[in-house]
Amino acid sequence: MGRRTILASGLAAGLAGLLPARLAAQALRQGATSPGLRLAPDQEAMVPVTGGRIYVRVNGALGGKPPILFIHGGPGSSHWSWLNATALADDRAVILYDQLDCGRSDRPGDPANWTVARFLSEIEAIRAHFGIGRWHVLGGSWGGTLALEYGATRPSALAGLVLQSPLISTEIWLRDAAELKAGMPADVRDLLDRCDTPGAAPQADCDAATAAFYARHVRQVIQPPAIAAYRDALPAPFAEGLYNHMWGRAEFTCTGTLKDYDGQPLLEQLDPKRTLFVAGQDDEARPATVANFAIAAGARFAEIPDASHSIMLDNPAAYLDLLRPWLARQDA
């Protein structure tokens, strides 16, 4: 759900042989930065929340059109993966933030803070801190879980809700993951299965097999140098302990506190006219599954071509082309 991709440049050539030609080429291509990308924030804040303070950055002017908040995945990732979305700041304010124990936020490292309810409370804390009367909220992957929980409360401040590649049900997520694993080459599939048992295979082999899966279904590009440098400068670009506690070893197995999560009953509580579901063509959150969630909510679904789970990195141009007019329609 937004976990760091293990695929490193040194593994790329070897992994290319494990992937179909189209996906191998995508996995090796250099990712693009959006025209209008803003690496530096216009303003920053450390917002008090239960357990500490969270880092929030804003590009664009608050007080014009409803701003948009982007919620990162993981659990344990950070805001860097949304940097291409700052291109929207020429039209409305773009708000990125790090959840507690992630990125530039405080890192108390207390598992008592690692609950859906506490992470959910961060969203309203951000809105209140900046005095925002109306806004859009977009969550990706685990961030989509938080966006679902937020949208289901029907807050009066919510102008539009985007659930991108969301974790709605762990049971369904793992069912899809098993199907996607079954589509991997036999040697990769065998390793992925064996690596669920600690010590059953060399760690280097497990990392390579996991990277092959991630290159197909999690992220298909090498990060642009500017975004990679920004990520590497973060104090905690990925909080592995948080990820392992709430999820587990890898995207296709769950042993953590989210193992019984089921947000399907919340789908019917969303405002269908103001909700958009999105998935990438090769997403680990399978497009057919995300489309079914949209149907259950009575909402719209869109599939982004040439993208996996990390849509804003894989194909930012197509994603932004979708978001701009959709947000404008929800502004009214």
Side-chain angles (χ1 to χ4, degrees), residues 78-103:
S78 46
H79 71 274
W80 69 269
S81 60
W82 291 123
L83 285 171
N84 275 324
T86 59
L88 295 170
D90 61 0
D91 187 52
R92 68 184 70 244
V94 174
I95 305 169
L96 311 181
Y97 79 103
D98 291 325
Q99 294 157 30
L100 193 67
D101 282 301
C102 302

Side-chain angles (χ1 to χ4, degrees), residues 68-266:
I68 179 168
L69 173 77
F70 286 84
I71 309 174
H72 68 71
S77 189
S78 46
H79 71 274
W80 69 269
S81 60
W82 291 123
L83 285 171
N84 275 324
T86 59
L88 295 170
D90 61 0
D91 187 52
R92 68 184 70 244
V94 174
I95 305 169
L96 311 181
Y97 79 103
D98 291 325
Q99 294 157 30
L100 193 67
D101 282 301
C102 302
R104 292 196 173 103
S105 292
D106 289 345
R107 301 191 302 280
D110 184 356
N113 293 320
W114 300 346
T115 67
V116 173
R118 202 217 56 80
F119 282 116
L120 175 63
S121 70
E122 295 177 348
I123 299 174
E124 179 59 22
I126 294 169
R127 191 193 68 78
H129 178 86
F130 289 99
I132 298 168
R134 198 159 178 266
W135 67 349
H136 304 280
V137 171
L138 186 156
S141 197
W142 148 251
T145 307
L146 298 176
L148 168 69
E149 295 271 346
Y150 181 72
T153 69
R154 291 288 188 104
S156 59
L158 187 59
L161 180 71
V162 183
L163 303 178
Q164 182 226 296
S165 318
L167 169 69
I168 302 293
S169 159
T170 299
E171 179 182 3
I172 293 175
W173 183 282
L174 295 178
R175 186 187 310 155
D176 281 355
E179 183 171 335
L180 294 175
K181 273 207 303 183
M184 297 296 291
D187 54 347
V188 176
R189 184 172 65 247
D190 175 65
L191 265 172
L192 292 176
D193 289 338
R194 286 196 288 131
C195 289
D196 284 339
T197 302
Q203 188 60 47
D205 291 349
C206 292
D207 288 350
T210 302
F213 181 93
Y214 284 12
R216 180 180 287 192
H217 296 298
V218 179
R219 194 186 76 227
Q220 298 175 348
V221 301
I222 300 169
Q223 294 125 329
I227 292 179
Y230 182 99
R231 175 206 62 203
D232 292 344
L234 293 174
F238 179 72
E240 188 165 6
L242 169 56
Y243 179 83
N244 291 341
H245 178 85
M246 294 193 73
W247 186 254
R249 183 188 74 82
E251 295 290 89
F252 33 76
T253 181
C254 183
T255 55
T257 57
L258 289 171
K259 62 182 181 300
D260 296 319
Y261 181 80
D262 184 9
Q264 291 180 91
L266 300 179

